[in-house]
Amino acid sequence: MGGYLASMTGFGAYTAAWATAVRLRGRPLPGRPQPWDVVLTSVATFRLSRLLSKASVTSPLRAPFTRYVGPQGPAELHEEAEPEGNRDTLGELVTCPFCTSVWVVSTLTAGQLLWPRATRTAMGALAALAGADALQLAYGALVSRTTGDD
């Protein structure tokens, strides 16, 4: 329970820091989010969360808090939280795309308020990457289906 309380406290401090930065910059909050921004933020959050929490290329970032179990899907790994010491809560956070997405969406939301053009550009790139991933998987499934290679 202590690790979860520390994680919640850290998230609260992280969110408060972003809110303070937005307030100090005098950025107005939008009346309501535009539907396109919600879709773009959702897709970018999905892709960045999976990239951070599951991708083999980012495994060195997770290594201090996790142990390798095996592959899990195309270019993804199955890792488990390191049970020793106080690394288990961080291990759970960095291997769970749902948990990571809370931090990612908060960061992207703050980025949209502080640096809207740069953040939307980065989110567009992440959305394009998610689309490319979907096309790669669809192509692989189509090739397997047509050639009988399962």
Side-chain angles (χ1 to χ4, degrees):
M1 285 299 215
Y4 291 124
L5 181 58
S7 179
M8 289 170 44
T9 302
F11 182 76
Y14 182 71
T15 304
W18 277 119
T20 301
V22 169
R23 176 172 286 176
L24 289 175
R25 295 274 309 262
R27 297 288 186 169
L29 296 176
R32 71 175 98 167
Q34 296 299 313
W36 170 247
D37 283 333
V38 173
V39 171
L40 182 61
T41 304
S42 298
V43 175
T45 298
F46 162 78
R47 189 64 200 103
L48 185 55
S49 297
R50 289 210 71 86
L51 181 66
L52 292 172
S53 65
K54 294 292 182 185
S56 53
V57 71
T58 55
S59 63
L61 301 175
R62 299 184 302 272
F65 313 105
T66 63
R67 62 183 175 80
Y68 175 78
V69 176
Q72 178 183 349
E76 291 192 343
L77 301 177
H78 177 74
E79 296 166 316
E80 292 182 353
E82 184 64 55
E84 297 177 20
N86 294 327
R87 297 179 288 176
D88 58 335
T89 302
L90 278 175
E92 286 184 41
L93 175 66
V94 300
T95 59
C96 170
F98 298 98
C99 305
T100 303
S101 68
V102 174
W103 292 77
V104 168
V105 76
S106 297
T107 304
L108 293 177
T109 299
Q112 288 180 72
L113 295 170
L114 294 171
W115 309 285
R117 292 179 69 177
T119 302
R120 282 195 180 87
T121 299
M123 290 191 322
L126 288 164
L129 181 58
D133 290 347
L135 290 171
Q136 294 287 359
L137 292 170
Y139 179 80
L142 182 62
V143 167
S144 291
R145 189 173 189 197
T146 58
T147 62
D149 295 337
D150 285 329

